[in-house]
């Protein structure tokens, strides 16, 4: 089960056009919620890597920062995912005139979040490789492919879907993390 899920995620990153055709019916997470089987483990992995990275690279270790940094990383990714799913359903209903069910919206958004999760893990291990953040633009390509192959949107609808949801997926974790930093101002992050 785990090896099939890992190979499926690799294929989703490397060849999204192959995965997008049967993404809603034949994937390793079809039997259970994609939130519990895909998003939560990735968020937990990002939180764990954030904790280990802070313990290794912090100039001055502070226990409150060691607790809050992984917590902020996990909360920002989870809330960004939920907001992106809701925005995906709203965009398809309001602007594109197509009712998208919650399972399809969760699946498309979860797989589009895959580059964000992978990049967070890689940057947690190697924080000086900040230029890799440019790879977040791959989210736009994945959404483009998923909107055409999986959701059967036309050219114009694909553009709207890709731009709105791509902006949400790329910017929402940063926005949530910024709000959390403002709410807890005395912690140096």
């Amino acid at each position: 089960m785990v090896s099939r899920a890992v190979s499926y995620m690799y294929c989703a990153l490397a060849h999204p056009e192959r995965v997008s055709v049967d993404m809603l019916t034949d994937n390793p997470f079809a039997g259970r919620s994609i939130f519990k089987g895909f998003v939560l483990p990735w968020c937990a992995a990002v939180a764990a890597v954030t904790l280990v990275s802070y313990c290794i690279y912090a100039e001055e270790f502070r226990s409150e920062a060691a607790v809050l940094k992984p917590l902020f990383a996990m909360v920002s990714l989870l809330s960004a995912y939920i907001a992106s799913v809701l925005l995906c359903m709203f965009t398809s209903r309001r602007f594109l005139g197509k009712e998208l069910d919650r399972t399809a919206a969760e699946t498309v958004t979860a797989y589009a979040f895959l580059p964000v999760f992978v990049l967070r893990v890689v940057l947690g291990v190697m924080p000086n490789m900040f230029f890799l953040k440019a790879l977040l633009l791959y989210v736009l390509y994945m959404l483009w492919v998923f909107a055409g192959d999986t959701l059967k949107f036309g050219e114009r609808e694909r553009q709207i879907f890709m731009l709105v949801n791509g902006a949400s997926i790329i910017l929402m974790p940063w926005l949530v993390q910024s709000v959390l930093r403002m709410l807890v101002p005395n912690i140096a992050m």
Side-chain angles (χ1 to χ4, degrees), residues 2-74:
V2 173
S3 65
R4 182 170 180 244
V6 169
S7 67
Y8 197 82
M9 287 184 275
Y10 171 75
C11 190
L13 272 176
H15 309 287
E17 61 280 352
R18 290 186 200 161
V19 172
S20 64
V21 175
D22 57 2
M23 142 192 272
L24 298 179
T25 56
D26 181 37
N27 68 55
F29 309 102
R32 58 186 170 157
S33 169
I34 196 152
F35 181 75
K36 290 179 184 174
F38 184 79
V39 176
L40 280 180
W42 270 108
C43 289
V46 168
V49 168
T50 303
L51 175 64
V52 170
S53 174
Y54 178 76
C55 292
I56 293 172
Y57 295 116
E59 293 176 14
E60 175 187 339
F61 183 81
R62 297 174 52 191
S63 59
E64 63 272 7
V67 170
L68 287 178
K69 275 185 84 87
L71 185 65
F72 281 10
M74 191 165 189

Side-chain angles (χ1 to χ4, degrees), residues 17 27 35 39 52 75 87 90-91 102 108 150 156 170 188:
E17 61 280 352
N27 68 55
F35 181 75
V39 176
V52 170
V75 167
L87 185 67
F90 176 77
T91 302
R102 187 170 186 90
V108 168
T150 306
R156 185 178 184 303
I170 292 171

Side-chain angles (χ1 to χ4, degrees), residues 61-186:
F61 183 81
R62 297 174 52 191
S63 59
E64 63 272 7
V67 170
L68 287 178
K69 275 185 84 87
L71 185 65
F72 281 10
M74 191 165 189
V75 167
S76 70
L77 287 173
L78 287 174
S79 57
Y81 170 75
I82 292 168
S84 295
V85 167
L86 295 174
L87 185 67
C88 180
M89 292 188 322
F90 176 77
T91 302
S92 63
R93 183 178 353 103
R94 177 73 185 236
F95 298 118
L96 307 176
K98 182 178 180 183
E99 192 70 32
L100 194 62
D101 65 330
R102 187 170 186 90
T103 305
E106 284 182 355
T107 304
V108 168
T109 304
Y111 284 117
F113 253 94
L114 192 55
V116 176
F117 294 141
V118 171
L119 197 61
R120 284 281 188 102
V121 169
V122 169
L123 289 177
V125 174
M126 299 176 284
N128 292 333
M129 306 273 288
F130 62 90
F131 58 87
L132 290 177
K133 289 184 181 180
L135 295 176
L136 285 175
L137 295 177
Y138 192 66
V139 168
L140 298 175
Y141 172 68
M142 290 181 79
L143 283 171
W144 178 265
V145 171
F146 296 157
D149 295 344
T150 306
L151 303 177
K152 307 294 187 225
F153 286 149
E155 194 74 21
R156 185 178 184 303
E157 291 85 12
R158 284 170 86 173
Q159 291 174 355
I160 294 170
F161 184 82
M162 177 198 64
L163 290 175
V164 171
N165 294 309
S168 169
I169 290 170
I170 292 171
L171 297 176
M172 195 68 70
W174 171 79
L175 182 67
V176 171
Q177 193 132 11
S178 298
V179 169
L180 288 173
R181 283 188 191 134
M182 287 190 301
L183 291 175
V184 185
N186 292 332

